[in-house]
């Protein structure tokens, strides 16, 4: 009589009859009936005198009829009055099915010869014995089946809740990542426009050329800001364009090199991540330095990890210019959300002066 509550879709408006029958006579229920019958059969064998095969057949028939009662009242009626619950109905149905089942089996198995059943004391003893055992045992077996059903239902509900919670967490993660991505865009644009403003205020003759370059740069860069699957090659293109503009503004004080390993160019790179480091190097390292300096951007891959370094020969971390500003804080959060704890960014003093910013994350191909 064992079964799983979750196996039966009670709320299904158009149930499959084949599915219903399969679940009504499911293997778990049959297995429970067979095991229970064999245990009772073994217990009765020492005192049973009419043959072990007949006893086994009668017990098996009684068990199957009780299983049928359990399954039928599990499915019908669909709605019950409030004063009775489904499990009580099933247990009562199993218990009440035992007497008529035993009586029917005994009548059908009574031979035509010899005294009738009610005059045969040995058969009457067997009838009452099987009835008593059935009434005592079958409700407990039914209760055990119901407990297993509820446990299976609880496990399935817990699994469903866990899946729903995981999906909600993933959606929240995506939303947070998009929010952080949106924070990067104004951060970058405001800093770039501030540089243009300096040129305009100083009436520099290079201002128109820089402004034209900036407009061309923004036309190429802005469409890439929303691309979640940008490659490192795309990112380095932005970095080069940005450094070109900064070099036009500081021709005598800024030089730069980009040394990218060819196998790293096709890897995924969080948009604006390298540019954030380069922007900090210009703003906090090179720009405030009287003699300017050099920025070197290098990338490489090793053991499934992409490493990126941005070095500048500027003032260094002791300049007190706040290298770990909003851009870096946002970059750390973006890396944490995109790669969990296997990615990171680190700032350290560079030997000979300046700052080395190191970025690493898992190497995986960029999507188009």
């Amino acid at each position: 009589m064992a079964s799983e509550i979750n196996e039966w879709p009670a709320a299904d408006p158009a149930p499959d009859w084949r599915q219903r029958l399969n679940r009504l006579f499911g293997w778990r229920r049959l297995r429970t009936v067979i095991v229970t019958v064999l245990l009772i059969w073994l217990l009765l064998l020492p005192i049973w005198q009419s043959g072990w095969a007949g006893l086994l057949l009668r017990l098996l028939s009684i068990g199957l009829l009780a299983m049928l009662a359990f399954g039928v009242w599990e499915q019908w009626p669909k709605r019950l009055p409030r004063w009775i619950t489904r499990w009580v109905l099933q247990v009562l149905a199993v218990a009440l099915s035992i007497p008529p089942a035993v009586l029917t089996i005994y009548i059908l198995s009574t031979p035509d010869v010899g005294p009738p059943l009610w005059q045969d004391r040995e058969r009457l003893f067997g009838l009452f014995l099987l009835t008593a055992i059935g009434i005592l045992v079958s409700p407990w077996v039914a209760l055990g089946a119901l407990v297993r059903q509820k446990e299976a239902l609880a496990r399935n509900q817990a699994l469903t809740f866990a899946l729903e919670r995981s999906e909600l967490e993933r959606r929240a993660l995506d939303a947070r990542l998009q929010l952080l991505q949106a924070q990067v865009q104004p951060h970058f644009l405001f800093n770039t426009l501030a540089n243009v403003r300096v040129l305009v205020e100083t009436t520099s003759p290079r201002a128109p050329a820089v402004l034209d370059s900036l407009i061309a740069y923004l036309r190429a860069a802005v469409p890439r800001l929303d691309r979640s699957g940008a490659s490192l090659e795309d990112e380095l293109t932005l970095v080069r364009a940005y450094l070109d503009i900064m070099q036009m503004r500081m021709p005598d004080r800024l030089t730069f090199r980009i040394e990218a390993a060819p196998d790293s160019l096709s890897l995924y790179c969080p948009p604006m991540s390298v540019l954030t480091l380069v922007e900090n190097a210009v703003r906090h390292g090179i720009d405030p330095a009287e003699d300017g300096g050099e920025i070197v951007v290098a990338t490489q891959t090793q053991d499934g990890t992409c490493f990126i370094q941005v070095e500048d020969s500027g003032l260094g971390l002791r300049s007190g210019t706040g290298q770990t500003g909003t851009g870096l804080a946002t970059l750390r959060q973006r890396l944490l959300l995109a790669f969990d704890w296997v990615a990171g960014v680190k700032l350290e003093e560079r030997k000979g002066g300046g700052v080395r910013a190191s970025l690493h994350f898992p190497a995986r191909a960029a999507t188009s």
Side-chain angles (χ1 to χ4, degrees):
M1 285 174 280
S3 70
E4 302 293 339
I5 278 180
N6 60 303
E7 290 179 351
W8 187 253
D12 189 352
D16 185 348
W17 284 97
R18 289 178 298 180
Q19 188 178 18
R20 284 191 172 191
L21 290 175
N22 289 335
R23 288 172 176 169
L24 188 62
F25 299 100
W27 165 242
R28 291 185 178 181
R29 298 185 180 190
L30 287 173
R31 183 180 59 188
T32 301
V33 169
I34 292 173
V35 171
T36 305
V37 165
L38 288 177
L39 291 176
I40 297 176
W41 178 67
L42 291 174
L43 290 175
L44 293 180
L45 269 183
I47 61 174
W48 200 262
Q49 299 179 357
S50 61
W52 62 269
L55 175 62
L56 181 60
L57 183 61
R58 289 172 179 172
L59 289 174
L60 190 58
S61 301
I62 296 169
L64 292 176
L65 289 173
M67 184 190 75
L68 183 62
F70 182 88
V72 168
W73 291 103
E74 182 186 33
Q75 303 173 29
W76 293 282
K78 288 186 177 181
R79 296 183 181 276
L80 293 175
R82 293 185 177 180
W83 53 269
I84 189 170
T85 57
R86 178 73 64 180
W87 71 271
V88 172
L89 183 64
Q90 288 180 260
V91 173
L92 288 176
V94 169
L96 295 177
S97 69
I98 296 298
V102 176
L103 181 60
T104 302
I105 291 171
Y106 259 84
I107 292 176
L108 294 178
S109 62
T110 299
D112 295 334
V113 297
L117 173 63
W118 56 87
Q119 295 179 356
D120 191 329
R121 297 184 59 184
E122 182 178 345
R123 290 177 181 171
L124 281 177
F125 173 75
L127 186 148
F128 288 117
L129 180 60
L130 294 185
T131 301
I133 293 176
I135 292 176
L136 291 175
V137 174
S138 60
W140 292 104
V141 177
L143 283 174
L146 289 168
V147 170
R148 289 194 294 274
Q149 284 179 305
K150 291 187 178 297
E151 291 176 349
L153 180 61
R155 287 196 299 270
N156 283 351
Q157 287 179 339
L159 180 60
T160 301
F161 292 154
L163 292 175
E164 290 177 352
R165 184 172 61 251
S166 176
E167 178 64 16
L168 291 175
E169 290 177 351
R170 186 190 65 78
R171 291 181 181 179
L173 184 66
D174 290 343
R176 191 178 176 191
L177 195 57
Q178 291 176 1
L179 177 61
L180 291 175
Q181 178 75 11
Q183 292 175 354
V184 170
Q185 298 177 20
H187 175 72
F188 165 73
L189 292 176
F190 290 153
N191 286 345
T192 306
L193 290 174
N195 292 327
V196 175
R197 180 185 177 187
V198 172
L199 290 176
V200 173
E201 288 179 347
T202 57
T203 63
S204 171
R206 297 192 305 275
V210 173
L211 188 57
D212 291 340
S213 298
L214 177 60
I215 292 172
Y217 165 74
L218 290 177
R219 283 176 178 169
V222 169
R224 299 177 180 176
L225 296 178
D226 291 328
R227 291 180 55 186
S228 59
S231 67
L232 183 56
E233 185 176 13
D234 295 334
E235 183 72 7
L236 293 181
T237 300
L238 285 176
V239 168
R240 184 181 296 279
Y242 174 80
L243 288 174
D244 283 338
I245 294 174
M246 293 299 104
Q247 196 174 43
M248 291 179 66
R249 189 171 70 86
M250 301 179 289
D252 301 329
R253 297 194 300 124
L254 172 63
T255 59
F256 71 89
R257 289 182 290 128
I258 297 178
E259 301 172 352
D263 60 342
S264 67
L265 296 178
S266 61
L267 298 178
Y268 167 74
C269 179
M272 317 303 290
S273 56
V274 184
L275 186 61
T276 299
L277 301 180
V278 172
E279 188 184 14
N280 277 344
V282 172
R283 185 179 181 184
H284 303 292
I286 304 299
D287 201 13
E290 183 177 354
D291 297 331
E294 182 184 39
I295 294 177
V296 179
V297 181
T299 71
Q300 63 174 339
T301 60
Q302 183 177 1
D303 299 330
T305 302
C306 181
F307 296 93
I308 301 173
Q309 283 191 349
V310 177
E311 293 186 344
D312 71 78
S313 58
L315 293 183
L317 293 176
R318 297 177 181 176
S319 61
T321 53
Q323 293 251 13
T324 56
T326 304
L328 284 178
T330 304
L331 176 58
R332 284 196 175 94
Q333 293 185 52
R334 293 175 60 212
L335 291 174
L336 180 63
L337 293 175
F339 300 104
D340 205 355
W341 296 103
V342 294
V345 59
K346 180 178 66 175
L347 291 182
E348 58 185 346
E349 291 280 358
R350 177 176 171 270
K351 189 176 182 181
V355 174
R356 176 186 296 111
S358 302
L359 175 66
H360 71 275
F361 48 80
R364 64 189 191 199
T367 58
S368 57

